[in-house]
Amino acid sequence: MKYFIVTYGCQMNVHESEKIAGILENLGYTACDKREDADIIVFNTCAIREGAEDRVFGNVGNLKRLKKKNKNLIIAVLGCMTQKEQTAQKLMNTFPFVDIVLGTFNLSRLGFFIEAVKKGRQLEILEEGDIDEMLPYKRTSGENAWVNIMQGCNNFCTYCIVPYVKGREKSRQESNILQEIKELIAEGKYKKITLLGQNVNSYGKDLNPQVSFATLLHDICKLDGDFTLSFMTSHPKDLTDDVIDAIASEDKIEKFIHLPAQSGNNRILKLMNRKYTREKYLEIIDKIREKIPNCRITSDFIVGFPTETEEEFEDTYELVKRVRYDSIFAFMYSPREGTIASKMEGQIPEEIKHKRVNKLLALEKKLQKEDNKR
Ligand code: SAH
Ligand code: SF4
Ligand code: F3S
């Protein structure tokens, strides 16, 4: 029996798919390279922007003919998109050939649902769930091993769907993380460990006793072995000096930080609920540059947030110019149902968003060209 997994979204989802693969292999399935050969096809979806969801609808729709050819084929849709009740229902209604739709909190029961499909289509969305330490991983990222250190997000940036589909922040026990990494090092094939969380800087605040992210970093670096350590994503509001010092002082930690700014304008940052100002952000950047020379810095930006004026967009443009990132991702604001920003007045027309995103990306290209020359 063979499985094929299609993954959308962030690194955390890529890692989640390694968990899905682990569960399927435990059930006796093996991986295959083509959808046509599969007995089960799993979509691990993302809800961050409308485009991501549209692609899922398109690609699931395309499976109709496969299902016609192979009546026993099981099609499962999981992940952030299906955590939303309405979207899950829409998937079920639009595609009668989809067998299983699960939210993000019941992955550990995938095996049960595959068995249950014999009796009919399955849909389940739970409200919250704990991190399951027992689930096996089938690692697929070569020399890099992803290690989840927390799930969920408490920040509720007003544009973002993640807190709604991934629940509140929950940190893993430090001992469990250290044990996992020890085992990875012992396997001998991983040269790089990448810690994952939506906001790694707030790691451990919910543990009793609390553990700081900097402590976790130092403790991992104390482990014997030849590996480099990196992490994502850092939220500027929680990036403390002790974390910057850890990156600077620990040889094992990669000199790299992804520090999404989202906007360079204070009014927009406030509306986004990011809890820092342009000045504070630049202060952090200067501190990083001073303490960690040659540190690579990357960022994410959203253009066309509701009510963003041309001048306010220029503030973002100037920030990108000033920081000279190693690279940036620029996204057009996409209203997500249920978020605060989606209900704000002053939504920006698509063509203006297009114009702004192109302008920002052109700048990024130009700066990169100059830097490469240098
Ligand atoms: N936890 C990370 C980001 C996760 S989502 C952080 O706080 O930085 C990855 C990126 O998607 C975000 O940095 C943001 O730039 C973008 N994004 C999130 N919601 C979006 C939306 N509604 N429209 C457009 N881009 C969005
Ligand atoms: Fe979304 Fe903000 Fe949480 Fe990042 S920090 S996942 S952008 S709510
Ligand atoms: Fe990641 Fe998309 Fe979910 S960015 S957390 S897969 S909504």
Side-chain angles (χ1 to χ4, degrees):
M1 293 205 301
K2 303 214 177 303
Y3 70 85
F4 187 89
I5 302 174
V6 191
T7 308
Y8 302 82
C10 61
Q11 267 81 8
M12 300 186 79
N13 236 26
V14 171
H15 188 39
E16 196 93 337
S17 286
E18 296 181 336
K19 208 190 268 178
I20 296 170
I23 295 172
L24 292 172
E25 299 215 347
N26 264 9
L27 292 172
Y29 287 89
T30 53
C32 64
D33 311 326
K34 284 203 311 265
R35 289 162 213 234
E36 286 74 13
D37 300 335
D39 299 288
I40 180 165
I41 300 177
V42 179
F43 285 84
N44 189 15
T45 63
C46 169
I48 204 82
R49 283 170 292 273
E50 203 179 332
E53 295 199 352
D54 289 347
R55 258 183 308 184
V56 170
F57 271 97
N59 288 335
V60 172
N62 286 338
L63 293 184
K64 193 173 173 183
R65 59 180 178 89
L66 276 188
K67 188 83 178 201
K68 258 195 191 142
K69 264 199 267 171
N70 175 7
K71 287 271 178 296
N72 294 322
L73 171 66
I74 298 174
I75 298 174
V77 189
L78 325 178
C80 293
M81 187 173 154
T82 46
Q83 183 62 27
K84 299 183 298 171
E85 196 93 41
Q86 275 186 356
T87 316
Q89 276 302 344
K90 191 172 156 200
L91 270 161
M92 279 300 231
N93 298 342
T94 317
F95 306 120
F97 51 88
V98 167
D99 303 286
I100 302 173
V101 174
L102 300 182
T104 52
F105 297 115
N106 41 6
L107 192 57
S108 58
R109 285 172 18 98
L110 180 59
F112 164 83
F113 287 107
I114 292 174
E115 188 54 33
V117 144
K118 291 177 191 144
K119 297 192 210 94
R121 304 171 78 201
Q122 302 292 323
L123 169 97
E124 186 179 87
I125 300 160
L126 304 177
E127 296 224 326
E128 277 282 328
D130 289 325
I131 299 176
D132 193 329
E133 292 287 344
M134 301 308 289
L135 291 179
Y137 283 105
K138 166 83 169 94
R139 297 186 185 271
T140 52
S141 300
E143 289 196 336
N144 176 61
W146 309 107
V147 174
N148 221 29
I149 62 168
M150 59 201 300
Q151 73 175 23
C153 184
N154 290 352
N155 289 320
F156 287 92
C157 301
T158 53
Y159 51 79
C160 186
I161 192 75
V162 171
Y164 301 90
V165 292
K166 285 289 198 179
R168 293 300 70 70
E169 269 170 22
K170 283 195 189 93
S171 303
R172 284 177 70 195
Q173 291 296 336
E174 192 193 24
S175 55
N176 288 341
I177 298 170
L178 292 173
Q179 184 57 33
E180 180 177 348
I181 296 175
K182 260 188 228 160
E183 285 166 18
L184 288 170
I185 298 168
E187 272 189 62
K189 56 182 175 191
Y190 303 108
K191 295 272 165 275
K192 191 176 163 190
I193 307 286
T194 307
L195 309 179
L196 296 177
Q198 288 298 352
N199 178 12
V200 289
N201 303 109
S202 63
Y203 170 78
K205 283 185 182 162
D206 57 323
L207 293 176
N208 188 13
Q210 290 190 348
V211 183
S212 76
F213 183 53
T215 303
L216 176 68
L217 289 175
H218 287 300
D219 288 347
I220 294 172
C221 289
K222 279 186 210 130
L223 298 176
D224 282 331
D226 180 20
F227 65 94
T228 60
L229 181 63
S230 65
F231 53 84
M232 62 176 55
T233 296
S234 294
H235 193 303
K237 85 174 161 66
D238 296 315
L239 183 63
T240 45
D241 286 1
D242 58 357
V243 172
I244 299 177
D245 292 337
I247 306 171
S249 66
E250 293 283 4
D251 290 338
K252 280 176 176 154
I253 301 184
E254 218 184 301
K255 310 305 168 203
F256 163 67
I257 186 152
H258 182 57
L259 195 65
Q262 311 298 0
S263 166
N265 175 270
N266 284 340
R267 192 185 71 89
I268 296 295
L269 284 170
K270 187 140 203 215
L271 281 179
M272 287 177 163
N273 193 29
R274 289 292 287 182
K275 301 198 174 80
Y276 53 84
T277 59
R278 172 193 181 91
E279 293 73 27
K280 179 85 208 315
Y281 183 84
L282 287 171
E283 211 176 276
I284 300 170
I285 294 286
D286 290 344
K287 212 182 283 170
I288 296 171
R289 290 257 156 88
E290 182 198 316
K291 291 193 177 178
I292 320 166
N294 298 325
C295 187
R296 283 190 298 124
I297 305 177
T298 60
S299 187
D300 295 344
F301 289 92
I302 296 175
V303 303
F305 186 85
T307 72
E308 183 188 64
T309 65
E310 206 56 42
E311 291 73 38
E312 288 167 337
F313 164 70
E314 286 298 324
D315 286 343
T316 298
Y317 188 85
E318 289 303 318
L319 182 91
V320 171
K321 229 171 166 174
R322 150 96 200 266
V323 176
R324 289 196 89 98
Y325 293 99
D326 290 270
S327 70
I328 62 163
F329 293 97
F331 305 108
M332 293 189 285
Y333 168 71
S334 170
R336 309 316 294 132
E337 211 180 321
T339 61
I340 292 173
S342 70
K343 295 182 209 92
M344 286 179 184
E345 309 243 325
Q347 300 285 328
I348 306 291
E350 289 301 303
E351 50 293 5
I352 295 183
K353 290 187 204 168
H354 269 289
K355 230 181 72 203
R356 290 181 188 167
V357 85
N358 288 338
K359 190 168 170 191
L360 204 56
L361 290 173
L363 170 67
E364 142 91 349
K365 219 169 162 186
K366 178 174 153 260
L367 294 177
Q368 268 193 353
K369 225 174 174 177
E370 288 173 14
D371 285 346
N372 288 343
K373 247 188 217 153
R374 242 192 294 149

